[in-house]
Amino acid sequence: MLAFAVRRIVYSVPVLIVASFIIFWLGSASADPLAPLREKNPPAPQNVIDAETVRLHLDQSLIPRYFSWLGGIFTGNFGPSVVSTASIGHDLGDRFLVTIRLIAVAMVIALVLAVLLGVLTAVRQYSKFDYAATFVGFLFLAMPAFWFAILLKQAGVSFNLAVGSQAISTIGQASVPPPQGTGAYILDIIGHMILPTISLALISYAAWSRFTRASMLEVMNSDYVRLARAKGLSRSQVMVKHALRTALIPLTTVTALDIASIIGGAVVTENVFQWKGMGDYLVQSIRMNDVYATASWLLLAATVVIVFNLIADLLYGVLDPRIRYA
């Protein structure tokens, strides 16, 4: 298993390096960090523009700038921001912690619902429960992420008005100022996470439950499952130890592939609920033509995608020993 993991990590390194170059190249070609200075009225003095050109390394060609940026990342220096007092690494770290808790909780909820309902609908194929779950799944699957988030936010606002208090938090990732006490602070964080998490989780669960159902139906009709039943194993043993383990392999694949979409959904969700996470940071960086901040954000997102695909590769080896020993 260790050799299998090392091979996957080695394969991931060149992918990340190539992705980092493409990200930096496209980011540099798509925006001019000095455009706001040049377009000011009255225009900024030329010596100010020249000083910013040197500070942002715009006096260098693309390749030296890329290697300077890439080398600085290993020391925690993500490059100079257009805001001279800002630290890209520090800001990204704070925003990442806000976003990753949303993504992690939403993915856990979505996976639990997808596996539970996927298995139940496969076992009760063509029943009323199967038709109802299928309808609900397609309903969430058809909803745009931003529209569903807006509906949930409006529902929360309407509920607060109806009860006459702030029962459901609809704005921000935490109260300002934060409540005193560890327990009160944790409850405040959980309260602010409810609506964004529901928004992100239900959109993801809808597609994953369909994959789980289809995979379970295929596995349940396989020869080794019928043999397990013929040997006298109980239905729960056959479903959990034999069918479900194999059926989780396609779900693992689609979950790893969907992580980029989940990050994109988190960007939209955070902007709807006015979270100060990575989504808000990306939008601000693009608006300010902050090339280094945008490229660093995209590199972090690419790293998360690669890490999740690496985890999926390792899970393949756990779920199917034939992959690990190949």
Side-chain angles (χ1 to χ4, degrees):
M1 187 65 177
L2 179 60
F4 178 79
V6 171
R7 285 200 305 270
R8 289 297 182 267
I9 293 174
V10 171
Y11 295 156
S12 300
V13 172
V15 174
L16 187 58
I17 292 176
V18 173
S20 68
F21 177 75
I22 295 175
I23 287 168
F24 188 81
W25 171 47
L26 293 177
S28 300
S30 61
D32 179 13
L34 299 179
L37 284 178
R38 294 192 177 100
E39 296 170 359
K40 287 182 66 176
N41 189 14
Q46 186 60 41
N47 61 332
V48 174
I49 295 178
D50 293 341
E52 284 295 289
T53 300
V54 174
R55 188 180 70 84
L56 297 174
H57 308 312
L58 297 177
D59 55 334
Q60 303 175 14
S61 59
L62 176 67
I63 301 300
R65 287 169 56 203
Y66 165 71
F67 282 108
S68 175
W69 172 68
L70 187 63
I73 288 176
F74 292 101
T75 61
N77 180 12
F78 287 79
S81 172
V82 294
V83 181
S84 58
T85 58
S87 171
I88 296 176
H90 180 269
D91 292 342
L92 267 180
D94 291 343
R95 302 297 187 102
F96 180 74
L97 292 177
V98 172
T99 300
I100 198 63
R101 74 187 185 206
L102 172 62
I103 292 177
V105 175
M107 286 187 66
V108 169
I109 294 175
L111 284 172
V112 171
L113 288 176
V115 172
L116 181 62
L117 293 179
V119 171
L120 290 177
T121 53
V123 173
R124 302 180 183 182
Q125 187 182 16
Y126 302 135
S127 65
K128 293 182 179 179
F129 177 79
D130 182 22
Y131 287 126
T134 299
F135 173 78
V136 173
F138 279 117
L139 182 65
F140 286 123
L141 192 61
M143 287 186 181
F146 73 92
W147 186 69
F148 185 44
I150 292 173
L151 286 181
L152 282 177
K153 183 177 181 179
Q154 186 59 44
V157 172
S158 300
F159 180 81
N160 290 337
L161 292 175
V163 299
S165 65
Q166 190 71 19
I168 299 178
S169 300
T170 58
I171 296 178
Q173 73 274 13
S175 298
V176 180
Q180 299 297 320
T182 303
Y185 179 74
I186 294 175
L187 290 176
D188 180 69
I189 294 294
I190 294 175
H192 282 80
M193 287 186 63
I194 292 175
L195 294 183
T197 301
I198 292 175
S199 173
L200 197 58
L202 291 185
I203 296 295
S204 302
Y205 129 81
W208 295 349
S209 65
R210 307 309 301 164
F211 276 98
T212 306
R213 179 183 182 275
S215 181
M216 278 295 296
L217 287 174
E218 181 179 356
V219 172
M220 286 167 59
N221 293 322
S222 60
D223 293 336
Y224 76 92
V225 171
R226 288 198 293 266
L227 176 61
R229 290 177 178 173
K231 290 170 63 177
L233 295 179
S234 65
R235 187 179 183 87
S236 60
Q237 286 180 312
V238 173
M239 289 295 105
V240 176
K241 292 185 178 181
H242 297 274
L244 181 59
R245 183 172 180 175
T246 304
L248 287 178
I249 294 178
L251 179 61
T252 302
T253 302
V254 73
T255 303
L257 293 176
D258 280 353
I259 184 61
S261 300
I262 294 173
I263 294 175
V267 171
V268 175
T269 303
E270 286 182 357
N271 277 275
V272 171
F273 290 98
Q274 301 177 33
W275 276 39
K276 299 299 181 182
M278 289 186 67
D280 177 72
Y281 189 74
L282 176 64
V283 173
Q284 288 184 6
S285 300
I286 293 174
R287 287 176 177 172
M288 294 188 300
N289 295 336
D290 199 337
V291 173
Y292 287 103
T294 304
S296 299
W297 190 100
L298 293 172
L299 178 62
L300 181 58
T303 303
V304 172
V305 172
I306 290 176
V307 167
F308 269 85
N309 279 272
L310 176 61
I311 293 173
D313 287 338
L314 297 179
L315 286 177
Y316 292 152
V318 174
L319 295 172
D320 190 346
R322 294 174 300 176
I323 298 176
R324 182 167 69 248
Y325 298 140

